[in-house]
Amino acid sequence: MTSLLAKFSFLLFLCYSTICLSSCILSDDLERFASDEEVLGLFQLWQKEYGRGYENLKEEAKRFEIFKENLKYIKETNARRESPFDYTLGLNEFADLSREEFSKIFMPDMGPMPKDNMNLNDDDDSCPNAPVSIDWRKKGAVTKVKNQGYCGSCWAFAATGAIEGINAIVTGRQSVSLSEQELVDCVEHSHGCNGGLYHYAFDYVTNNSGIAKEADYLYTAENDTCKASEIKKKAVTLNGYKMVTYSSETSLYCAVSRQPVSVSLNGKDFQFYRKGIYDGKNCTGDYKPTHAVLIVGYDTVAGNDYWIVKNSWGESWGMKGYMFIKRNFTGDVLGVCSINCCGAYPIKEAVKPEYYYSI
């Protein structure tokens, strides 16, 4: 570690002694950052961009080495692209985290899937009249991209996103942002910032008279005691939820044609995703779900079919918080990174208006 620190200190001296800092910029053209001095200049600009500081020079030197390894991985992956529609990686706020550190924070153990409420209507797997493409964002059924922070609560964000969607569709109103923190604090069968399942979140909202608005139960990115009883008025109620048929992309397609759908998948390779259609080459064969997201639509470009996916890592990640994931994937019945595995969606029945007649 002493030699590493000495090397880093020398690089700092060189960088400050040249025009490196004034000439380095964060861009798509990462290939031109080759020497240690150039990469250090990029690292320092990255620190400034994301407000990252470290407690001492030793920690900064360690983070620089991780940054270098991540930059190498990003450049090597991008060099293997075969099509302009293939995905690319890029530097983001996670660039100083090792793959192991990232997985520990953002890929928690989601726990076993629930065995109850797994019944589907027979017609859920058939939708001959489904549109060839749909984007629920354009229909007012999707709220802004949120940021779960350094808390393994992706399952709560996937759940609120689906509830926000079906509520907007059924009521015909603009989607209302709902409280992830209520789910983190109150869903007993999940583990808050330590992982959980959106299925239990749907059950909780169904059985506890609804869920609060985000503004009434603010997100803190920490586990806390349940304060649901303090909320006088719930924003949205549900009538239950259904599971997408296991390993059926047709079932998932049909469900998304009707509403946004929560899915869990293996997200270990999402750390540096920037844009394009992710094909899952680095997670094929690994069926363990580690991350939950929301599918908000689907489309096709130049014969490439893809899901439109909303993540919960803020707008600086991916395409302003979104990513495209390949669909009609022939390599595995579970789909890219097992996206066809465990989808679920909430049910909300339209309230019939009451009519009063005077005699």
Side-chain angles (χ1 to χ4, degrees):
M1 188 65 190
T2 302
S3 59
L4 175 62
L5 187 57
K7 179 182 177 182
F8 181 72
S9 299
F10 180 67
L11 285 174
L12 276 177
F13 170 76
L14 287 180
C15 199
Y16 282 122
S17 301
T18 65
I19 60 171
C20 176
L21 285 179
S22 61
S23 62
C24 294
I25 58 172
L26 295 175
S27 70
D28 289 331
D29 186 18
L30 297 177
E31 288 298 325
R32 63 194 182 91
F33 299 100
S35 69
D36 280 355
E37 292 85 352
E38 290 170 331
V39 174
L40 178 57
L42 183 64
F43 176 60
Q44 292 182 318
L45 283 177
W46 174 86
Q47 286 180 272
K48 183 177 180 180
E49 174 76 14
Y50 291 99
R52 189 76 88 248
Y54 305 105
E55 59 183 18
N56 53 50
L57 198 61
K58 180 180 178 181
E59 178 65 18
E60 187 171 5
K62 173 186 174 182
R63 293 298 154 190
F64 173 61
E65 290 301 312
I66 293 173
F67 181 90
K68 275 203 310 182
E69 286 299 311
N70 288 336
L71 179 61
K72 178 183 177 184
Y73 173 76
I74 289 169
K75 292 196 290 186
E76 290 175 347
T77 300
N78 290 346
R80 291 194 293 267
R81 295 176 72 233
E82 299 176 354
S83 159
F85 304 106
D86 288 348
Y87 74 99
T88 63
L89 305 183
L91 296 172
N92 56 31
E93 68 173 296
F94 307 130
D96 66 343
L97 294 177
S98 68
R99 307 299 290 278
E100 293 74 22
E101 289 171 326
F102 180 81
S103 293
K104 185 176 181 179
I105 298 168
F106 295 99
M107 303 290 141
D109 184 2
M110 300 185 72
M113 292 293 161
K115 302 299 182 182
D116 298 332
N117 293 344
M118 297 183 72
N119 60 306
L120 283 169
N121 294 333
D122 292 338
D123 60 356
D124 279 345
D125 286 342
S126 177
C127 50
N129 298 319
V132 294
S133 66
I134 194 165
D135 188 341
W136 288 108
R137 296 175 296 181
K138 297 178 180 179
K139 298 179 180 295
V142 182
T143 59
K144 67 178 182 179
V145 170
K146 305 177 186 180
N147 195 334
Q148 69 187 69
Y150 281 42
C151 164
S153 55
C154 57
W155 60 275
F157 286 82
T160 56
I163 300 169
E164 290 162 353
I166 191 59
N167 182 64
I169 293 167
V170 170
T171 63
R173 302 169 185 165
Q174 193 76 15
S175 56
V176 176
S177 186
L178 301 175
S179 174
E180 291 80 22
Q181 192 64 42
E182 180 176 353
L183 301 179
V184 168
D185 294 346
C186 304
V187 178
E188 294 182 359
H189 295 291
S190 288
H191 308 287
C193 286
N194 300 316
L197 293 168
Y198 40 80
H199 312 73
Y200 294 129
F202 296 149
D203 263 343
Y204 166 82
V205 176
T206 301
N207 298 325
N208 289 273
S209 303
I211 183 172
K213 290 182 181 179
E214 182 181 26
D216 293 335
Y217 200 141
L218 294 175
Y219 187 66
T220 65
E222 296 179 347
N223 294 331
D224 205 344
T225 56
C226 182
K227 303 177 184 63
S229 60
E230 300 175 13
I231 307 301
K232 295 181 180 179
K233 185 178 180 181
K234 299 292 186 177
V236 177
T237 58
L238 293 179
N239 298 100
Y241 80 92
K242 290 184 178 179
M243 295 281 291
V244 173
T245 302
Y246 180 78
S247 79
S248 170
E249 186 167 275
T250 301
S251 179
L252 182 58
Y253 175 84
C254 291
V256 176
S257 74
R258 297 188 297 268
Q259 66 190 87
V261 175
S262 305
V263 292
S264 55
L265 71 178
N266 191 307
K268 68 179 183 180
D269 198 41
F270 293 175
Q271 184 173 354
F272 305 116
Y273 171 85
R274 189 172 187 278
K275 61 181 178 180
I277 301 174
Y278 184 77
D279 60 12
K281 291 178 182 177
N282 290 336
C283 66
T284 301
D286 194 341
Y287 304 125
K288 184 179 180 181
T290 59
H291 188 47
V293 293
L294 183 73
I295 300 181
V296 300
Y298 53 80
D299 206 345
T300 302
V301 58
N304 297 282
D305 300 329
Y306 61 88
W307 302 110
I308 305 169
V309 175
K310 181 185 182 184
N311 202 357
S312 52
W313 295 341
E315 292 188 355
S316 66
W317 179 89
M319 298 179 290
K320 294 186 177 180
Y322 288 88
M323 74 181 300
F324 295 156
I325 295 182
K326 184 178 178 63
R327 63 185 177 92
N328 288 329
F329 178 64
T330 58
D332 194 322
V333 293
L334 288 178
V336 170
C337 300
S338 303
I339 196 171
N340 300 339
C341 166
C342 309
Y345 54 93
I347 302 167
K348 183 176 176 65
E349 299 172 0
V351 178
K352 296 180 179 179
E354 296 181 0
Y355 297 95
Y356 297 91
Y357 299 93
S358 58
I359 300 176

